[in-house]
Amino acid sequence: MTRRAVVTGASSGIGRATVVALREAGWDVVGVARRAERLAQVAAETGAAVFAADLTKQADVDALAQYLESTGTIHALVQVAGGAAGTERIEDARTDDWEWMFQANVMSTQRLVAALLPQLRRASLTGGHADFAFVTSTAAQTAYEGGAGYNAAKAGESMVVKALRLELAGEPLRVTEIAPGMVFTEEFTLNRNRGNTGAVAATYEGVAAPLVASDVADVISYALNAPGHVNLDLITMRPVAQAAQHVLIRGELKPRL
């Protein structure tokens, strides 16, 4: 049986890489994002189906659920969509940035789960199990200066994931959380720094090998393709150069001989 996954944030970065990884693993995929023109490129390059939606809007989530219901069974939801806005200290932060981050990371997750859970439950009846996979962040685990809004939003999403796993206990529904540390993608840090390319360059300067989107996508694919009785509750992943949130090595990695 060919399994079908819904991947959000599919127009770029980790979401797009996840579409590629799952298609290579034999999955049918529906890629979801706001930008229809970017989704069209993903569809042409991967053969995935696509659906344009803003997940901060309930009407768009409802339309997505109706589309999925009418086009076949779904066996997995991979919630990648989200993001960060701003690097200001709490005293200087923009309230609208914080509100957007909560909508994009927490409320969109709640909307998707509520809308798609009935379909995933039905899929588990014939597929043996169904999956939820959520990309959060190590920002959900450790606070840092200038990150409070994103810390709060990702910690909120992480708590939704943990509560969901408990609420679904006894059902053949797996709930996996993937929490990446430093990842280099073409848009995340640029958007967070409001297009300041200098700030982006400074973030990654001297780091031997930050994670890239395909690294995270490979882990997501592994989790979804694991035997149905195996649940990877929480996967925290960082580049070797990042031993902890505040321990980032800039320069060559070499053994102490």
Side-chain angles (χ1 to χ4, degrees), residues 6 8 32-34 51-69 74 77 79 81 103-104 106-119:
V6 180
T8 69
V32 179
R34 290 179 293 107
F51 189 92
D54 181 344
L55 302 178
T56 68
K57 298 179 179 178
Q58 187 63 50
D60 282 21
V61 175
D62 292 341
L64 171 63
Q66 292 168 9
Y67 165 79
L68 295 169
E69 186 81 62
I74 59 169
L77 167 63
Q79 163 61 331
Q103 285 290 333
V106 181
M107 293 310 302
S108 63
T109 295
Q110 186 276 329
R111 290 186 180 98
L112 284 165
V113 171
L116 300 186
L117 178 56
Q119 296 184 49

Side-chain angles (χ1 to χ4, degrees), residues 7-21 23 29-33 35-51 186:
V7 178
T8 69
S11 62
S12 66
I14 294 170
R16 189 188 189 288
T18 300
V19 173
V20 172
R23 290 292 294 147
V29 177
V30 179
V32 179
R35 295 175 293 183
E37 69 283 358
R38 294 288 295 268
L39 284 176
Q41 295 174 6
V42 172
E45 293 171 11
T46 67
V50 294
F51 189 92
E186 66 271 25

Side-chain angles (χ1 to χ4, degrees), residues 105-196:
N105 294 285
V106 181
M107 293 310 302
S108 63
T109 295
Q110 186 276 329
R111 290 186 180 98
L112 284 165
V113 171
L116 300 186
L117 178 56
Q119 296 184 49
L120 288 163
R121 279 182 165 136
R122 290 196 298 273
S124 72
L125 291 173
T126 54
H129 69 279
D131 283 277
F132 290 94
F134 303 89
V135 177
T136 60
S137 171
T138 55
Q141 303 170 6
T142 305
Y144 55 90
E145 302 91 330
Y150 188 56
N151 290 144
K154 280 302 185 184
E157 182 184 0
S158 179
M159 284 298 152
V160 170
V161 174
K162 291 173 173 61
L164 179 65
R165 187 180 299 112
L166 296 173
E167 291 175 358
L168 298 181
E171 301 186 60
L173 300 171
R174 304 191 297 186
V175 179
T176 296
E177 178 181 355
I178 302 96
M182 174 176 272
V183 183
F184 177 80
T185 62
E186 66 271 25
E187 292 187 324
F188 177 87
T189 305
L190 186 65
N191 290 339
R192 184 175 196 177
N193 287 278
R194 312 186 200 285
N196 184 337

